[in-house]
Amino acid sequence: MLPETVTVRSVIYVTGDSHGKICHVTGDSHGKICHVTGDSHGKICHVTGDSHAEGAADIRSSLQKLMTLFSRKLFNDSLPPVVLKHQLYSLHSDKTSVDKQLNELRASGELLMFQLGFDSEAFALVFAEDYRAKVLQGEAGRETLETVEKFLDKLIPGCSDLSFNKEKMLKEFLFTDSEITRLVKSGVLTVRDAGSWWLSIPNSGKFIKYFIKGRKAVLGMVKKSRYGEILKTELEGRRTTSHVKFQMKYHVHDIVGAELVECIQTTSGTLLRYVDGNDN
C-alpha cells in the first residue's frame, strides 16, 4: 500500500503505509512545503524543503547572531551594533533571497542600511531602534537634538533610502537649509555631492578605520599560512593582534561573505584559501 500524502495550510499531517515503514510529513509554515521521510526503524533519513522558505525571521536571526560579534566596548558603547550586508552571505548562499528579505525588513522600518565610503559594495546594516537609541544618546544636551529627532521620526517608519536629494529634504521631509546643515553637523547625514546627502552613522569613522585594518591583517594571516590555506576553525581561534580590534569571527564572516578567500569543504572542515589580489 503506497503512502498517502495530505497537504493543507497551517496544519501538518503525518501519514504512512500499512507497515509503518515510511512516514511522509507534509506541512506549511509560510506557504512552503517540507517533506520528511523515515526508514523502517522510525529514523529520519531525509528532509527536503523549499530553499526560499528562509524568511525575514531567518535573516533577522542571522543579523542578531552577527551583531553579538560586534565589539561595542571598543567604541565606548557609542555605536549601535553594525553588520555588513555581505557578512550575511557567509551564512546564506542564496544572495538574491538575502537581499529580498533585507529589503522587506527595511521597508517595514525595522532595519536601516548605509553605504560605507571605503567600498561601493560595502553596506552597513543597523536595526532602526538601535540606531535611534545611539543617535539620541549622542545628541543629548546638544542644540541639534530637536532637528535630529524630527529627522528620525520621518526616517524610521519605513524610509529605505540610502541618500536624500535637496528636493526630498525640502519638499517631502519639510526641512529648511539650516536644519539640513544641523543634520550634517550631527553626523546623521554626510555630503554625497552638491545637493544630496548619504544617510550616515554618527562617529562611524573609527569603526571603518578598524574594520579595514582588521580585514587586511586577517587576510594577511591566511596568505602567510602554509600554501596560503588555513582551516576556518583554526583562523577563528587565532588570538587577535594589535591590528585586529574586532573578534576574529567578525572578520572571518567578512572575508568569506565578500569572497576575498575561497572556501573549500574538506573532511577536516572548511578550508580558506587566499586569493591573489585581495589584500589591498
Side-chain angles (χ1 to χ4, degrees):
M1 180 178 179
L2 292 175
E4 295 180 27
T5 300
V6 181
T7 305
V8 294
R9 295 182 63 84
S10 302
V11 180
I12 294 177
Y13 276 67
V14 182
T15 59
D17 67 11
S18 59
H19 302 290
K21 290 183 178 180
I22 300 175
C23 75
H24 204 153
V25 180
T26 304
D28 169 45
S29 57
H30 298 288
K32 306 297 182 182
I33 303 304
C34 175
H35 299 286
V36 181
T37 58
D39 62 16
S40 59
H41 302 290
K43 294 180 180 179
I44 293 175
C45 60
H46 190 62
V47 179
T48 61
D50 189 324
S51 63
H52 295 288
E54 290 181 350
D58 299 304
I59 298 302
R60 186 187 299 107
S61 176
S62 295
L63 279 169
Q64 291 168 339
K65 174 183 176 181
L66 290 169
M67 285 177 178
T68 63
L69 303 176
F70 182 80
S71 304
R72 302 178 70 157
K73 290 183 179 180
L74 191 60
F75 308 100
N76 298 317
D77 204 29
S78 63
L79 289 181
V82 179
V83 166
L84 275 76
K85 184 174 78 166
H86 65 258
Q87 287 177 308
L88 286 167
Y89 300 156
S90 69
L91 299 173
H92 302 270
S93 59
D94 188 341
K95 295 181 182 180
T96 301
S97 177
V98 170
D99 292 350
K100 179 183 178 182
Q101 303 306 329
L102 286 177
N103 287 338
E104 289 180 5
L105 289 172
R106 291 170 64 204
S108 70
E110 186 174 349
L111 192 70
L112 296 173
M113 190 160 82
F114 307 81
Q115 212 285 320
L116 298 180
F118 70 91
D119 186 337
S120 62
E121 296 301 315
F123 297 96
L125 300 169
V126 176
F127 283 119
E129 288 309 311
D130 290 338
Y131 180 77
R132 177 193 286 274
K134 290 305 173 186
V135 167
L136 293 179
Q137 174 185 304
E139 284 294 304
R142 295 183 179 178
E143 61 179 15
T144 51
L145 175 60
E146 185 177 346
T147 304
V148 169
E149 284 183 317
K150 176 183 173 183
F151 178 71
L152 293 175
D153 288 341
K154 293 180 180 295
L155 173 73
I156 289 180
C159 178
S160 57
D161 293 338
L162 292 172
S163 64
F164 310 92
N165 59 34
K166 191 166 186 175
E167 182 179 6
K168 181 161 188 169
M169 291 297 292
L170 295 176
K171 296 183 179 180
E172 185 176 332
F173 282 5
L174 303 178
F175 284 103
T176 64
D177 285 327
S178 60
E179 285 178 320
I180 294 173
T181 300
R182 286 197 285 274
L183 292 174
V184 173
K185 182 179 180 181
S186 72
V188 295
L189 294 179
T190 56
V191 176
R192 179 178 183 179
D193 52 39
S196 69
W197 301 267
W198 290 112
L199 180 63
S200 178
I201 306 170
N203 306 309
S204 58
K206 193 175 182 181
F207 163 76
I208 294 172
K209 176 184 176 182
Y210 286 165
F211 181 83
I212 294 172
K213 186 179 290 187
R215 171 189 277 190
K216 288 183 177 180
V218 173
L219 279 175
M221 293 178 191
V222 180
K223 183 178 182 180
K224 293 173 184 176
S225 299
R226 190 178 184 185
Y227 306 122
E229 299 173 342
I230 186 172
L231 284 171
K232 179 171 172 281
T233 51
E234 182 183 340
L235 182 61
E236 290 175 339
R238 288 272 185 97
R239 295 184 63 180
T240 56
T241 67
S242 60
H243 296 293
V244 181
K245 304 292 186 182
F246 297 109
Q247 295 185 47
M248 286 297 293
K249 285 187 176 182
Y250 190 84
H251 283 297
V252 171
H253 283 296
D254 165 49
I255 63 175
V256 171
E259 298 180 350
L260 300 177
V261 292
E262 183 181 356
C263 294
I264 302 165
Q265 300 304 319
T266 72
T267 54
S268 300
T270 303
L271 188 71
L272 305 181
R273 175 180 292 166
Y274 176 77
V275 178
D276 286 335
N278 280 335
D279 58 346
N280 295 323

